[in-house]
Amino acid sequence: LTNLQPQTLYYVRAYATNSIGTVYGNQQTFTTQDGTIVLTTAAATSITATTAVSGGNITSDGGAAITARGLVWSTSQNPTVETNNGITSNGTGTGSFTSNLTNLQPQTLYYVRAYATNSYGTQYGNQVSFTTPMPDGPGGTITDADGNTYNTIWINGRQWMKENLKTTKYRDGSNIPNITGNSEWAGLSTPAYCWYNNDQTTYGNTYGALYNWYAVNTGNLCPTGWHVPSDAEWTALTDYVGGASIAGTKLKATSGWYSEGNGTDNYGFSALPGGYRLISY
């Protein structure tokens, strides 16, 4: 039965004709579907600076065969097969499918929808979005409240300082107390900083300053727009470069470490040891 109308009740009878005449069988009824395709868009995964993976799942063709399906994406919301920054073609029929999104731009917000076409037209799944990261490589520079300038590096979509912090001021310009005595340092419950071995001239520019927990916990220590990394952020970094067992070697600078403890600096992170403060009363 062809050329039917969607969402319409039909009555059907078989017929047969011989020399005596035409007779009919019992009557059957049915209602055509409304042509609405039921489909969803999969969340984006495996996101890089220029690629991602998504897909869709068609659970109903609306009563008419799916003749085309795939993904559309754009930097504007609600992309369509006519208006998009990219489109894939992933066969026909119902069921799930996977699509590779390519030629994306780094650090860009994208909107993605699955689409499917039947004789009633093209319909779309829910919209999902994701942001591509910056590729691994050099970033810009930032400046602290003292006027010190730091180089940065992009690793796995995050921008890191590749130098140790050495500011003597909070981001709002107020001074951080410089505490030199071990006993006084040990007894503090307020913010403070110091230089390794209390020697700024020798160590400060290369290795940065040492800050106690109270200074870090103010949330005011790093330059504007920056923060001290969380444990989860450190873990994501070490996992990305191969795991805790080898991350130290890959992230450490090729010089500046004690007793042949230098690294290979595979990512330009150039990590240097800040030292630590002895506690004695």
Side-chain angles (χ1 to χ4, degrees):
L1 287 69
T2 59
N3 298 319
L4 305 180
Q5 296 300 309
Q7 207 167 8
T8 301
L9 175 63
Y10 284 93
Y11 300 89
V12 183
R13 293 194 297 172
Y15 74 90
T17 302
N18 61 15
S19 58
I20 299 176
T22 299
V23 297
Y24 298 88
N26 57 302
Q27 180 172 275
Q28 300 281 4
T29 63
F30 66 90
T31 300
T32 53
Q33 297 187 46
D34 61 5
T36 299
I37 302 169
V38 180
L39 73 160
T40 56
T41 308
T45 61
S46 303
I47 302 166
T48 73
T50 58
T51 63
V53 176
S54 182
N57 186 28
I58 304 170
T59 55
S60 174
D61 62 10
I66 302 297
T67 56
R69 64 184 190 178
L71 289 182
V72 287
W73 64 90
S74 176
T75 54
S76 300
Q77 295 199 43
N78 300 314
T80 68
V81 294
E82 293 85 13
T83 306
N84 60 72
N85 294 128
I87 185 170
T88 65
S89 178
N90 296 100
T92 61
T94 59
S96 60
F97 60 91
T98 300
S99 294
N100 295 311
L101 290 70
T102 58
N103 299 320
L104 307 178
Q105 296 298 311
Q107 205 172 16
T108 301
L109 174 62
Y110 283 97
Y111 301 95
V112 184
R113 295 198 295 175
Y115 74 88
T117 302
N118 63 13
S119 58
Y120 298 105
T122 298
Q123 299 169 49
Y124 299 91
N126 55 299
Q127 178 172 273
V128 301
S129 63
F130 67 91
T131 300
T132 52
M134 283 293 291
D136 292 349
T141 59
I142 60 170
T143 304
D144 65 24
D146 270 334
N148 299 305
T149 300
Y150 306 87
N151 292 304
T152 68
I153 193 79
W154 285 94
I155 304 176
N156 193 27
R158 289 188 179 276
Q159 189 177 19
W160 298 81
M161 289 172 56
K162 54 182 293 182
E163 303 174 51
N164 291 338
L165 192 67
K166 52 194 173 191
T167 185
T168 65
K169 295 181 175 66
Y170 294 116
R171 70 175 59 149
D172 61 9
S174 59
N175 291 321
I176 307 170
N178 181 12
I179 305 300
T180 59
N182 287 338
S183 296
E184 185 180 1
W185 180 275
L188 284 173
S189 58
T190 54
Y193 84 95
C194 67
W195 305 104
Y196 179 71
N197 208 31
N198 288 322
D199 185 352
Q200 178 183 6
T201 301
T202 303
Y203 301 105
N205 189 58
T206 301
Y207 295 98
L210 298 171
Y211 304 91
N212 68 3
W213 164 248
Y214 304 103
V216 173
N217 201 39
T218 61
N220 192 27
L221 180 61
C222 296
T224 301
W226 288 73
H227 65 272
V228 176
S230 66
D231 181 63
E233 288 168 330
W234 279 116
T235 298
L237 175 63
T238 56
D239 287 348
Y240 177 73
V241 302
S245 63
I246 60 174
T249 298
K250 290 188 174 183
L251 295 175
K252 287 162 67 174
T254 56
S255 62
W257 288 79
Y258 176 74
S259 185
E260 303 302 321
N262 297 318
T264 55
D265 201 16
N266 297 62
Y267 295 86
F269 189 71
S270 305
L272 287 171
Y276 62 94
R277 182 69 183 264
L278 290 172
I279 298 176
S280 63
Y281 289 87

